[in-house]
Amino acid sequence: MHPDVLVIGAGITGMMAALHLSDGGARVTMVDAGENAGTWANAGSLHVQMQSRFMRLYPDQVPAVEASLPLYKAAAEEWVRLDTLYGPFELVRKGGLMLAEGAEQLRFLEAKAQRETARGLSVELLDRPALDRIAPWLGPQIVGAELCHDEGKLNPLIANARLLAVLGQRGIATLRDRILAISQDKGGITVQGQSASYRADQVIVASAWGAGHMVQGLGVTIPTRAEPLHMNITEAAAVSISHLIQHAERSITLKQLGQGQIVIGGGWPALDRGRSMPPGVLAASFLGNVALAARLVPQIGGLRVIRTWAGMNTTADGGSTIGRLPQAQGVVMALPGDAGYTLGPLVGRMAAQVALGAQPDADMARFAPARFAA
Amino acid sequence: MTGQPAGHFTFDGKSVPLRPGQSLAAALTEAGLRSFRQTAKGATRGIFCGMGVCQDCLVTVNGAPNRRACMTPAVAGQDIRTQVPFPDLATAPNPQPAAPARVIAPDLLIVGGGAGGLSAAIAARRAGASVTILDERKVGGGQYFKQSAVSGPLDAQQSAGADLLAQALAAGAELIGEVEIWGAFDGLLFLAEHKGAALIARPRAAIIATGAYERPEIRPGWTLPGVMTTGAAQTLWRSYRTLPGKRVALVGSGPLNLQVGLELAQGGAEVVMIAERGPAPWLRPIAAAALALSGPALAWTGLRSLADLRKRGVPVRHGAALDRIDAAEGALRVTLMGDLSPVIADAVLMNAGFDPQNEILRLLGAEAIYDPAFGHLRITRDDTCATTVPGLYAVGDCAGLGGAPAAMAEGRIAGRAAAAALGFGDGYDTFADQRQLGRARRFQRHLWALHDVAPRLPDVPDDTLICRCEEIDAGQIRAGLGEKPGHAGTLKRATRVGMGRCQGRYCGPVAARLVAAATGTPVQDRSYFAPRVPIKPVAISAILAAEEALKDAP
Ligand SMILES: Cc1cc2nc3c(=O)[nH]c(=O)nc-3n(C[C@H](O)[C@H](O)[C@H](O)COP(=O)(O)OP(=O)(O)OC[C@H]3O[C@@H](n4cnc5c(N)ncnc54)[C@H](O)[C@@H]3O)c2cc1C
Ligand SMILES: Cc1cc2nc3c(=O)[nH]c(=O)nc-3n(C[C@H](O)[C@H](O)[C@H](O)COP(=O)(O)OP(=O)(O)OC[C@H]3O[C@@H](n4cnc5c(N)ncnc54)[C@H](O)[C@@H]3O)c2cc1C
Ligand code: FES
């Protein structure tokens, strides 16, 4: 008997869960509200090392992130696998540089690098002369950096379009509906949507910020929150920046796409304008984010920013949530932790394995939804 | 052509003469140079819109990449180079702000110093409000009055504009030129670039008067160098006394083509053809009579230009639409639909209507309603021209096409109302202005009824570009539509249509219409790409300067 699985949420996590389910022989359908998916707004950075922005904003969540560092490394490798199978997605894995502007920041990075090495990441500390050999365009105030070889970047527009086409070839349909509640009975799962009600043997919940509310009645309180963020993009220049650039203390990601544009972001807040409209861009975020980029990489000063956009990121407790709900075994959660686009494909695959009755190759207890038992 | 060369600059090493006040685009055009930049796919581009919108005229100026030749004054000794698609950042000079950032806080900020903006400034200033007008151009006056940037005699339209400009200054309004507004944020914060420095405005109220830009004929060949909008050619001639080329053809629909065709013929160009989509007025006697009754003077001017053109032997073909433009014999071959005898021209000018420059208004959340007759949004306004956003007014073509006389009446009404709302003057009886406005709007309705500017779905071969900037062709867009996008934004993410420097000014309305047609929904406010800062590309150095100026402010 093939399980009949409904995947709620058609972002990167839901899409990849559906693909693995289908490859595993399951009949699968997706349902999505078509609202503010992070997947269609994200910047395509493949994050592996701990992000300082995150460590500063959510110090209580650091232990959870640190414990899942091996997951990030495996997630980046999952992207490489997808890139080979369905790409190319302009995926480049030259590593990520986290910059230090003073001795104290360098010490912070040193300590961080030790913790990350202990978790199996490939990191090294570079002084300025070493940096000059690979990134001579950095501002003069940069004294050194941590280089994480596992990191990289890809073009999410290309990746999303290609993967969507693969789902199309498999005949996996996406229904447009807003899911209000999920309940389980002896015969299976009932999913209540705004315009219809759906039955399935199992359900995978990959609805990011919309997930907590949906499973409220099923014995868990998952504190998923929508976090509006914005990004900036410049006109194209000859490609000279091959690393993903971050900062030891401040919120920034900067990278250059294969087509030459420079993408600047790093989690600057945007304005929530409700469900029917994408978030708005705030003056302080726009100015602060781009100005910081210009200080770190002065040579972009002559380029023009041509566009900004904003979308919804999701936060919960920093860690990923993957596995069956204790009180509703037919409901499998698939919620990536921080840097959800990096994690999405792997998390989707692991959730699909759980639904298919297989045991993913990871310490699943760490991701168990039971930690949110109400 | 008037004026002596005031020196030379070089273009890819070759010497090019310039006259005082000329833009780089004008000087290059006068020298017969048409290709300014190379695209990522190896095509060449030159001046197209002539007003800072299309971003196709980019050149490298003294090593600094991506400068718009149409908005950059020519200066003796400049080193100008063809813009390559991927400039090398390591060799580009890192621009330093020319001056410290400037912060202004007038009672009333007016964006756009054209017919509408200047009229608003005079009214508000006379009521006692402090007024600053910002305009992207070096000289005020806007599209209708098109002030001359080079010395030379003024025509009647230009003298009327000079007069309006003088009145605004005499009333005590401050006009700052060469200011490009690129950001507008809630609470009325405006960010702009002024000659490489940052300008920040925090007014108590704002009147947006940014006018319109031209709707092109999206046909095979519309991106070739030498093909430009009719307004671009008009600016070359009226502001810089530069002809767009020796032999000129005009295509599209609307009164501007006839007027500019005549201006260029009078200026010494050989106008080889004017193709007008609309039928001849003598075939539509009732509509023509309605036009004549609603505005006898203006209608008469229009008829006189037609007669003048005929006298000069310019073939004006009504009911004729552009099929394609091809590069041929060092010039351009223009073929009309169903026509076997193409004409050869050095420049092809196109205008098929106008689209409002409503980006600032939409960014600030002003509501709008789609006008199917004109194929563009009309900003929702009360009878004082106030939008649905508190303290924000819209006048002139940016709120929906209305023409210069309507823009002026709206400016007077909004200027007075905005001042009164701020406690200046009593916003006295606007009866006369309202009546004039009514008349001007009636005339416009009858005028456009004689032309054919109905928005079209592009019926072009697959290899015709729809998105100039990202070089996305009709075939790619058709494939994208096959994925059944629910919104133009989805089509954009799937195909990159509208992701380039002009931010979808030309392909955006097309994408909105295509998606609406494919989904069977009417076009509306939300059908278009979401408005976003920056509304025009802005140098990172200017953002850095603005951030430094605002950092310590509350
Ligand atoms: C601006 C920005 C930049 C980012 N950059 C990066 C980056 O560079 N690298 C990185 O790793 N991560 C990045 N992220 C985070 C990343 O985008 C997300 O974490 C990731 O896309 C999550 O994928 P997902 O499939 O789990 O959820 P999403 O893509 O958010 O999809 C969730 C889906 O669930 C649907 N849904 C929600 N509620 C309901 C409901 N009640 N009924 C039906 N459907 C529902 C939504 O419509 C949506 O389609 C960024 C995020 C933002 C906003
Ligand atoms: C190219 C063109 C040619 C035209 N020629 C004629 C003609 O010959 N005869 C005729 O009857 N009508 C003509 N029209 C129509 C006529 O110009 C308008 O109806 C009239 O000018 C409307 O006045 P306005 O004040 O609304 O806008 P405009 O007169 O267009 O003034 C708008 C002003 O705003 C400025 N501006 C726009 N955006 C920004 C920004 N982001 N930052 C700073 N400044 C900005 C512009 O530089 C411009 O000066 C033309 C229109 C165009 C677009
Ligand atoms: S011609 Fe200069 S921007 Fe269009």
Side-chain angles (χ1 to χ4, degrees), chain B residues 419-455:
Chain B
L422 296 173
F424 300 99
D426 53 8
Y428 63 84
D429 192 14
T430 58
F431 179 72
D433 287 328
Q434 295 285 6
R435 213 176 51 177
Q436 255 185 25
L437 182 56
R439 230 184 291 132
R441 287 185 178 157
R442 260 193 312 281
F443 177 77
Q444 282 282 317
R445 255 200 320 278
H446 294 307
L447 173 67
W448 292 101
L450 274 175
H451 296 279
D452 178 7
V453 292

Side-chain angles (χ1 to χ4, degrees), chain A residues 20 25 28 62 120 124 163 195 199 223 225 258 270 273 287 327 348 351 355:
Chain A
H20 288 288
V28 52
V62 171
E124 65 178 303
L163 294 172
S195 38
R199 289 285 292 173
R225 263 192 331 112
R273 295 189 296 186
L287 294 170
Q327 291 183 26

